[in-house]
Amino acid sequence: LLQGVVDAVWREPGERPGSERVVILDWKTDRVADDEALEHLADRYRAQLEAYRQAIRAAWRRPVGEVWIAALAAWRNVRIDD
């Protein structure tokens, strides 16, 4: 059993009808001092965000185009690639 809360999720229109995609954003308050720490943050939460990606894909029946972490303390974003 896995339990979690996605902080933000939305649909973006595609270029063709029916080609919309979903974007997931999860914010974290961990302190990150530099780019290396930001990468460690992404690695630490990668499994959680991948679980969100799979759950949203299944529930919304839409491809998940992008997954992002917003590192609030650093005012930076990092994309989690699939």
Side-chain angles (χ1 to χ4, degrees), residues 2-82:
L2 181 65
Q3 181 178 349
V5 177
V6 178
D7 290 318
V9 60
W10 65 90
R11 288 186 272 181
E12 290 187 344
E15 293 181 18
R16 299 179 318 279
S19 67
E20 67 185 20
R21 64 189 183 131
V22 176
V23 178
I24 297 171
L25 175 67
D26 201 57
W27 45 82
K28 302 296 180 193
T29 57
D30 307 50
R31 297 197 183 273
V32 291
D34 53 27
D35 288 345
E36 185 176 343
L38 190 62
E39 285 303 315
H40 286 288
L41 178 78
D43 289 341
R44 185 174 333 135
Y45 291 106
R46 189 172 310 279
Q48 175 189 1
L49 275 289
E50 287 304 320
Y52 289 171
R53 181 192 306 268
Q54 291 175 13
I56 294 297
R57 182 184 296 136
W60 287 27
R61 298 182 183 176
R62 296 276 187 264
V64 176
E66 297 178 9
V67 177
W68 292 86
I69 289 177
L72 299 179
W75 287 85
R76 303 269 310 272
N77 298 323
V78 61
R79 185 175 174 171
I80 305 298
D81 295 320
D82 56 346

